[in-house]
Amino acid sequence: MSRFSGEDTVARKFVIAFSAMFIIPMLLSTYLFIEYVDAVRRDWLQLTLFSASVAVLGTGGFFLCRSVVQALLKATRDASAIAGGDLDRRMDTNVEGEISELARNFNRITGRLQQTIDNLQSSKTQIQTLLSQVCVSFGQNVDMSNMFEVFLRSLLTLTGLEVGAIFLLSPDGRELSLCASVGLKEELRGTVVRQGKGIVGWVATHGQLVTTSESMPWGRPDMLTPLEKSMPWAIHIPLRTSEKTRGVMSIGLAAGQREITGEDLLTVQNLATQMAVAVENAELKESMEKTYVETVSALATAVEARDKYTRGHSKRVTEFAVEIAVRMDLPEAFVRDLESAALLHDIGKIGIPDHILHNSGALPPDGLQFVLAHPMGGENILKPVGSLGRLCPIVRHHHERYDGEGYPDRLRGEEIPLAARILSVADSFDAMISDRAYKRTRTKEEAMEELARCRGAQFDPHCVDVFLSYLQENSEAGILCIS
C-alpha cells in the first residue's frame, strides 16, 4: 500500500512540475504573442513557427520529465523490495546522470550489507557448532583437558587462527601448566610457566591482555619460554572471572597473518571469559563433589566401624579390584571409576539396622530384605551427585552372578557391567578370607579354590583368571588382610 502511495506522490509531482515548467509558460507565451504583437507584423507563418516551437519544446520536456520520473519510480520499487528483505535485488544503473550514480552507490551498500549478513550467518553457524561440540564434551565422561582441546580447536576454526594453548593456574598459584594445545610441537606440550615469568606469567599476574609481534616483541626476551618464542605474532588473554585469574589462553596467528580483526579479537575475548566461567564452575563442582564423596566415605567408614568384622573391607576390596583392572589393561578413567565405586560399594548398608548387621546366626525374618536392598540403597545415595551417576551401575550390580542368579536384577554374563564383575570377584575374595560372625575364615588357598570352582557360574571367568594369576605371583597378597 505504501509503495503505490509513494508512486502516486511522485506522479502528482511530475504533473505539477511539467505544468510549471512547460504548459503554463507555453500558454502565457501564446497569449502574449497574440495579444501584444502587431497584427501587421504577425502573419500565419510566424504563428505556425511559434506554435511548432512551443509544441516541440513541450513534447521534449514531457519525455525528459517522464524518463526521470520513471527512473525514480523504478528506484523506489527496488529500494522498497530491498527494504522488505530482498537483498539479492539491485537498482538499475542503465540511466543517465546522477540517478545512475545514486543507483551504483546504493548497490554497493546493499552488496556490503549482504556480505555482512552472510558473514554473521556463517559466524552464527560456527558458534552453534562450537557450543554443540563443547556441550557434547561436557555431556561425556571426559576430563577438563579434553574439553578445553575441543573448545580450542573450535575457536581456532571459527577465527581462522593457527596455534593455541591454554594454561591453568595451579592451586597454590605458583605456576601455570599447559592443559590443552592445538598446533604446538610435541616438545612444547609439557610447558610450565612460573607465576610472573614470561608473557604468560605476566598476563596471569596482572590480568591484562598482551599482544606481541616481530615489530613489537616482549621487552624481556631472555625470560620467554620456548613456547612463547615459537609464537612471535600472538595474543595472550587472561582467563579471569570474579576478580580472580584462572589461567591464560595464548593464540598464535597463522603463517603470513600480521593482524587479527577487531571482530575476531572480540570473539576470542568473549569466549575466553566463558572459558574462565567454565573453569570456575568446574572447580566449584569438583569441590562440592569432593566434599560429598568425603562425607559419604566417612559414612562408609562409620558403617564398617559398626561391625568389627568388616573394618578395612572396602579398602582391601578397592586394592584387589584396581589390581585386576590394571592387569586387564583397562583405561585409566575406567580404573578411577572402579576405585571410587569399590570404596563406596557397601554404602547402602547404612540403612541396615544393628540387630541385622551384627547378627551371628540365621537372619531374622526382616533381615533378608535389608541385605538384598543394600546395593540399591547405595545407588540411591550416589545418584544425587551428577558426576557420581556413572558409579551407580557398578554399586547396584556388584552382587549379580555371571549365571543370572544374583540380585537385584538377575543380570547375566556381559549384561553385568564389567566393573561390577571385577568388583564381585574382589568383594567375594575378601569376604572369604576375612573373619565374619556368621562363618569361619578361609585361607588364601581355600578362597582361591572357591573362586576357581565358581568360575563361569558366580564370577566372570576372565576376571577370575586375572585375579588368580595376581595372587599366585604375589605370595603376600591375600594374607596380610587377615593378619
Side-chain angles (χ1 to χ4, degrees):
M1 185 69 180
S2 61
R3 187 189 72 179
F4 293 111
S5 297
E7 292 181 4
D8 290 344
T9 300
V10 173
R12 284 197 299 271
K13 289 181 178 179
F14 163 66
V15 172
I16 295 171
F18 180 74
S19 299
M21 295 171 61
F22 294 101
I23 297 178
I24 294 175
M26 180 184 68
L27 293 176
L28 182 60
S29 299
T30 302
Y31 170 76
L32 293 174
F33 180 82
I34 296 173
E35 185 69 23
Y36 294 102
V37 176
D38 192 324
V40 176
R41 298 171 53 196
R42 182 178 64 212
D43 57 30
W44 288 108
L45 178 60
Q46 290 176 328
L47 185 59
T48 301
L49 289 175
F50 177 79
S51 299
S53 298
V54 170
V56 169
L57 290 173
T59 302
F62 171 81
F63 284 106
L64 176 62
C65 289
R66 183 173 177 269
S67 65
V68 172
V69 170
Q70 285 180 333
L72 288 174
L73 290 175
K74 189 174 188 309
T76 300
R77 288 192 293 270
D78 291 338
S80 297
I82 293 171
D86 184 7
L87 295 180
D88 294 326
R89 187 80 166 260
R90 292 294 182 269
M91 295 180 67
D92 186 10
T93 58
N94 295 321
V95 292
E96 298 296 333
E98 290 79 1
I99 296 179
S100 176
E101 184 64 24
L102 176 64
R104 282 192 289 270
N105 289 334
F106 195 87
N107 288 343
R108 281 196 289 268
I109 294 172
T110 305
R112 290 175 181 175
L113 179 61
Q114 179 67 61
Q115 183 178 6
T116 300
I117 292 175
D118 290 341
N119 291 340
L120 289 174
Q121 187 63 41
S122 176
S123 297
K124 178 182 177 182
T125 301
Q126 290 176 318
I127 290 174
Q128 288 174 339
T129 302
L130 167 63
L131 293 176
S132 175
Q133 291 174 333
V134 173
C135 288
V136 169
S137 297
F138 270 123
Q140 296 173 344
N141 180 22
V142 297
D143 57 27
M144 289 294 289
S145 61
N146 290 337
M147 189 276 290
F148 282 141
E149 185 172 340
V150 171
F151 194 98
L152 202 53
R153 288 186 184 279
S154 302
L155 174 60
L156 295 179
T157 301
L158 180 63
T159 56
L161 300 175
E162 189 173 63
V163 181
I166 296 176
F167 295 85
L168 289 184
L169 198 61
S170 61
D172 59 12
R174 294 182 178 179
E175 60 185 25
L176 295 109
S177 300
L178 184 68
C179 72
S181 64
V182 174
L184 288 182
K185 296 180 181 179
E186 185 67 33
E187 60 267 22
L188 300 177
R189 295 180 182 174
T191 300
V192 176
V193 181
R194 297 287 297 177
Q195 175 77 297
K197 302 297 182 181
I199 306 175
V200 172
W202 189 93
V203 171
T205 301
H206 294 82
Q208 298 178 11
L209 178 147
V210 169
T211 60
T212 58
S213 65
E214 292 177 351
S215 60
M216 295 180 62
W218 186 244
R220 293 288 305 277
D222 57 308
M223 300 293 291
L224 297 181
T225 64
L227 184 148
E228 293 166 335
K229 292 178 181 178
S230 72
M231 295 192 298
W233 297 80
I235 306 166
H236 305 273
I237 306 169
L239 303 180
R240 188 173 178 81
T241 181
S242 300
E243 302 302 321
K244 180 179 179 181
T245 299
R246 310 280 174 174
V248 175
M249 180 167 63
S250 299
I251 302 293
L253 276 64
Q257 189 176 5
R258 291 296 178 264
E259 63 179 9
I260 183 172
T261 65
E263 180 182 346
D264 284 343
L265 179 59
L266 183 60
T267 298
V268 171
Q269 288 178 302
N270 288 338
L271 292 178
T273 300
Q274 295 304 315
M275 192 181 302
V277 172
V279 173
E280 183 180 42
N281 290 341
E283 290 177 353
L284 179 60
K285 181 181 178 183
E286 182 180 357
S287 176
M288 293 175 63
E289 291 176 355
K290 182 179 179 182
T291 300
Y292 185 88
V293 171
E294 288 174 350
T295 302
V296 172
S297 298
L299 290 173
T301 303
V303 170
E304 291 187 355
R306 292 168 60 197
D307 184 356
K308 64 180 181 179
Y309 298 106
T310 59
R311 290 172 188 164
H313 169 69
S314 294
K315 182 179 178 181
R316 295 190 299 270
V317 170
T318 299
E319 293 173 354
F320 292 146
V322 167
E323 187 63 42
I324 295 173
V326 170
R327 285 175 170 257
M328 292 175 69
D329 198 26
L330 294 171
E332 183 179 346
F334 180 97
V335 176
R336 286 200 303 267
D337 285 350
L338 175 61
E339 181 179 17
S340 299
L343 283 171
L344 303 173
H345 75 282
D346 275 341
I347 189 64
K349 289 184 177 180
I350 289 176
I352 300 180
D354 285 344
H355 74 278
I356 297 174
L357 193 65
H358 301 154
N359 182 63
S360 59
L363 286 173
D366 61 340
L368 184 60
Q369 64 177 352
F370 281 102
V371 172
L372 297 180
H374 86 270
M376 292 178 288
E379 178 188 31
N380 291 334
I381 292 173
L382 299 178
K383 192 180 296 183
V385 181
S387 66
L388 297 184
R390 61 183 182 271
L391 307 182
C392 291
I394 308 173
V395 172
R396 180 183 178 92
H397 298 300
H398 76 277
H399 278 298
E400 302 284 1
R401 289 173 54 102
Y402 201 72
D403 58 9
E405 296 300 318
Y407 62 93
D409 299 316
R410 299 180 67 85
L411 301 182
R412 63 184 305 135
E414 294 188 0
E415 293 176 350
I416 308 169
L418 176 57
R421 283 179 265 156
I422 294 174
L423 183 55
S424 175
V425 173
D427 184 35
S428 297
F429 178 79
D430 187 73
M432 286 188 281
I433 63 174
S434 300
D435 190 18
R436 299 290 172 94
Y438 53 85
K439 69 169 188 65
R440 73 174 184 85
T441 302
R442 300 193 188 191
T443 65
K444 172 184 175 180
E445 290 71 22
E446 290 174 332
M448 291 174 63
E449 290 175 3
E450 183 66 12
L451 288 178
R453 187 182 69 82
C454 296
R455 178 184 181 276
Q458 183 175 351
F459 307 115
D460 182 321
H462 183 49
C463 295
V464 170
D465 293 343
V466 171
F467 189 46
L468 291 179
S469 175
Y470 161 69
L471 293 174
Q472 290 167 355
E473 294 173 11
N474 296 271
S475 58
E476 294 184 352
I479 295 179
L480 296 178
C481 297
I482 60 174
S483 61

